[in-house]
Amino acid sequence: MPVDRAAKPFRARRPPRIVRPRSEEEIAFLPMTHLAELIRTKHITSVELTEIYLDRLKRYGPTLNCVVTLTEERGRQQARNADKAIAAGRYRGPLHGIPWGVKDLFATKGYPTSWGAAPFKGRIIDEDATVISRLDEAGAILVAKLTTGELARDDIWFGGQTKNPWDLSMGSQGSSAGPGAATAAGLVAFSIGTETLGSILEPSGICGVTGLRPSFGRVSRHGVMTVSWSLDKVGPMCRSVEDCAHVLAAIQGPDNQDLSVQSVPFNWDATLDIRKLRVGYLKSAFANTKQTAQTDANDAKALDVLRNMGVSLIEVRLPEQPRVDPLTIVYSEANAALKDPLRTRPADLVRQDRVATQNALRLIPAADYLDANRARALLMREMARVMSEVDVYVSPFDYADYTPNPVATSNTLITNLTGQPCIVVPHGFNEKGNPTSLTFVGRVFGEAAMLAAARAYQEATDWHLKHPKT
């Protein structure tokens, strides 16, 4: 499909006028762009901000079970260096001095990288993943390695289940559980997660944060545990769309390590008038969500908000054929990537049900794997045809279907298979008082238009500014 490779200026909004809040809790829940302005204008230091987040990680991390390792020494040194550079007039941009956390799949020099699995508890990979190196270059402050489901599957790791800060009776869902919980609870300013079939979108959606899954081939996976070479993606989990745009700008692009990454500019323009975009919506999905009455009402209200902004919504339909079982692809690639410990140390893993399933599917016929990818290629063509009619479309938030032999009919599964970018934003609360979310989907490498539409919706509402009580 055609991809615009012409680089254009990165156009962020003017920094917000922000007065330092009186309480540390108010500071902790500010969007990253607001924290950046406080740092730039010297109303707060990076050292102060780092200590606020380290304190919250220590206080609330155990309750949420979302922290594997605090990177205190590294974070404090980075914060001191940031303050010295800023005082000397060497301000690097909106990530400079901002504390963040990373899913514990990313190699981090000098600190354990456990992949959520007991066989690798305490194991150190003595290098930094590309994303960590790039955020270091942007001046961001790494304060914590956050939990991931064992070997990047759901929210249960060797330390137990990661909790949803809105409802401690629930897990935070998806293998980027720790980043979702920590960001929602104000334990970090932003976080980095990964997704294969829904692990950024799902924890973001139920924890009420803004989660961006970039296009496949946008962000390097070098130094990150592999689940599926052809499906894994890396992306930010933040408090706002604008925050996601700044983080994506810092981490995207080729590194000559992950050769799937394309050289395609991210032409973010925060001033874009979304009335100039062709915005679609999955009419049939909104009519048949099978969610609660309040969630359905939130969906309907979100569409009304977009229409009241002058957007003419165009009905689009997901391809009905070909139908692909994504687990045929995932299990085939995961069994190649994770021979150790799935085969050599399975007894040490927490999720014996998952081990049994994975091993039972280890001998998937090569023909089935190849047929699934052939069908996937046809699905990509069909989605390219759908996206030729719109720049972005909206969909109800949905969960990936992990039942045996799932067919890729949900928006989450289909767009993971096609490699399209996707972002979820909060759009209300359900009957239990837990967050609900709305999904925006863009063209492959079309993050700029997708984020522009999501940002406009988000700023016409205030759901992203809500946070759980601590």
Side-chain angles (χ1 to χ4, degrees):
M1 68 184 68
V3 173
D4 183 3
R5 297 178 184 270
K8 300 174 185 175
F10 184 91
R11 290 195 173 126
R13 290 190 307 170
R14 288 185 178 180
R17 291 185 178 181
I18 179 74
V19 176
R20 176 171 173 161
R22 295 182 179 180
S23 75
E24 291 186 350
E25 179 163 318
E26 289 179 275
I27 292 171
F29 283 105
L30 286 174
M32 187 201 73
T33 49
H34 291 210
L35 294 173
E37 187 61 5
L38 289 177
I39 286 177
R40 189 187 71 83
T41 57
K42 301 182 176 63
H43 285 95
I44 195 170
T45 66
S46 180
V47 166
E48 286 180 278
L49 193 57
T50 298
E51 292 302 330
I52 288 172
Y53 282 120
L54 284 172
D55 177 66
R56 292 181 66 82
L57 284 160
K58 293 174 183 177
R59 272 193 290 155
Y60 301 115
T63 300
L64 296 173
N65 202 17
C66 67
V67 180
V68 184
T69 305
L70 292 176
T71 57
E72 288 184 83
E73 182 179 351
R74 175 178 178 143
R76 287 189 169 117
Q77 184 60 55
Q78 286 181 324
R80 290 191 291 269
N81 292 343
D83 285 336
K84 289 178 183 177
I86 292 167
R90 299 191 301 274
Y91 181 62
R92 300 186 194 178
L95 300 184
H96 203 173
I98 302 294
W100 67 287
V102 69
K103 184 176 181 178
D104 196 28
L105 298 184
F106 290 70
T108 308
K109 193 175 182 65
Y111 291 92
T113 302
S114 72
W115 299 353
F120 300 121
K121 186 178 180 180
R123 181 268 313 267
I124 293 177
I125 303 172
D126 203 27
E127 67 172 320
D128 284 331
T130 292
V131 164
I132 289 179
S133 296
R134 287 187 171 173
L135 288 171
D136 281 352
E137 292 166 8
I141 314 301
L142 180 62
V143 290
K145 302 290 292 293
L146 302 170
T147 57
T148 172
E150 184 178 65
L151 300 178
R153 297 298 300 273
D154 66 38
D155 55 13
I156 298 174
W157 58 296
F158 63 79
Q161 184 179 42
T162 301
K163 300 299 183 180
N164 182 342
W166 292 92
D167 184 347
L168 295 179
S169 70
M170 299 171 56
S172 56
Q173 191 77 28
S175 69
S176 298
T183 305
L187 311 190
V188 289
F190 71 91
S191 58
I192 296 291
T194 66
E195 173 153 325
T196 304
L197 290 178
S199 290
I200 289 175
L201 302 185
E202 291 180 1
S204 296
I206 71 165
C207 290
V209 302
T210 301
L212 168 62
R213 181 193 77 210
S215 302
F216 180 87
R218 172 66 83 178
V219 180
S220 172
R221 287 98 36 100
H222 176 66
V224 185
M225 190 201 91
T226 298
V227 176
S228 171
W229 289 280
S230 68
L231 283 164
D232 293 346
K233 305 113 188 148
V234 171
M237 300 166 74
C238 303
R239 290 196 240 293
S240 75
V241 174
E242 188 94 10
D243 290 358
C244 285
H246 283 290
V247 176
L248 180 61
I251 64 176
Q252 65 95 39
D255 63 348
N256 295 321
Q257 297 286 344
D258 179 351
L259 300 184
S260 71
V261 180
Q262 300 292 303
S263 180
V264 179
F266 170 48
N267 294 324
W268 171 242
D269 183 358
T271 67
L272 180 67
D273 183 351
I274 68 161
R275 291 172 296 181
K276 296 179 180 179
L277 296 176
R278 297 174 299 165
V279 181
Y281 76 118
L282 296 180
K283 183 177 180 179
S284 61
F286 280 103
N288 301 285
T289 62
K290 298 180 181 179
Q291 301 289 335
T292 69
Q294 185 58 57
T295 302
D296 288 347
N298 294 346
D299 286 340
K301 180 63 181 299
L303 295 180
D304 287 340
V305 169
L306 289 167
R307 291 186 180 105
N308 291 337
M309 293 165 58
V311 174
S312 297
L313 295 174
I314 304 164
E315 181 182 353
V316 296
R317 297 174 182 270
L318 293 176
E320 294 182 3
Q321 295 291 340
R323 295 157 71 87
V324 187
D325 175 357
L327 292 186
T328 298
I329 299 171
V330 172
Y331 279 134
S332 296
E333 296 185 3
N335 276 304
L338 299 171
K339 292 178 183 178
D340 181 16
L342 278 173
R343 302 184 199 175
T344 61
R345 287 181 280 179
D348 296 331
L349 297 173
V350 175
R351 295 301 303 274
Q352 288 299 305
D353 57 332
R354 289 290 173 82
V355 172
T357 301
Q358 195 101 343
N359 283 333
L361 294 172
R362 182 166 62 88
L363 298 178
I364 293 172
D368 289 358
Y369 174 72
L370 293 171
D371 283 345
N373 275 299
R374 291 168 69 190
R376 180 182 176 192
L378 295 175
L379 179 64
M380 290 176 176
R381 288 187 179 185
E382 286 298 302
M383 280 301 291
R385 179 189 57 76
V386 171
M387 297 308 297
S388 68
E389 301 171 359
V390 294
D391 301 301
V392 57
Y393 69 81
V394 292
S395 167
F397 172 72
D398 63 22
Y399 293 92
D401 179 9
Y402 294 120
T403 56
N405 301 313
V407 174
T409 56
S410 76
N411 184 67
T412 297
L413 287 182
I414 286 177
T415 55
N416 266 295
L417 286 166
T418 59
Q420 291 171 245
C422 189
I423 189 166
V424 294
V425 298
H427 81 334
F429 294 91
N430 63 19
E431 290 86 346
K432 294 182 179 180
N434 295 332
T436 61
S437 296
L438 182 69
T439 305
F440 290 78
V441 178
R443 296 176 174 182
V444 175
F445 295 112
E447 285 90 349
M450 178 190 75
L451 292 176
R455 181 199 62 78
Y457 166 78
Q458 191 168 73
E459 294 192 352
T461 64
D462 63 354
W463 301 115
H464 64 297
L465 301 178
K466 309 294 184 184
H467 58 79
K469 295 179 180 179
T470 56

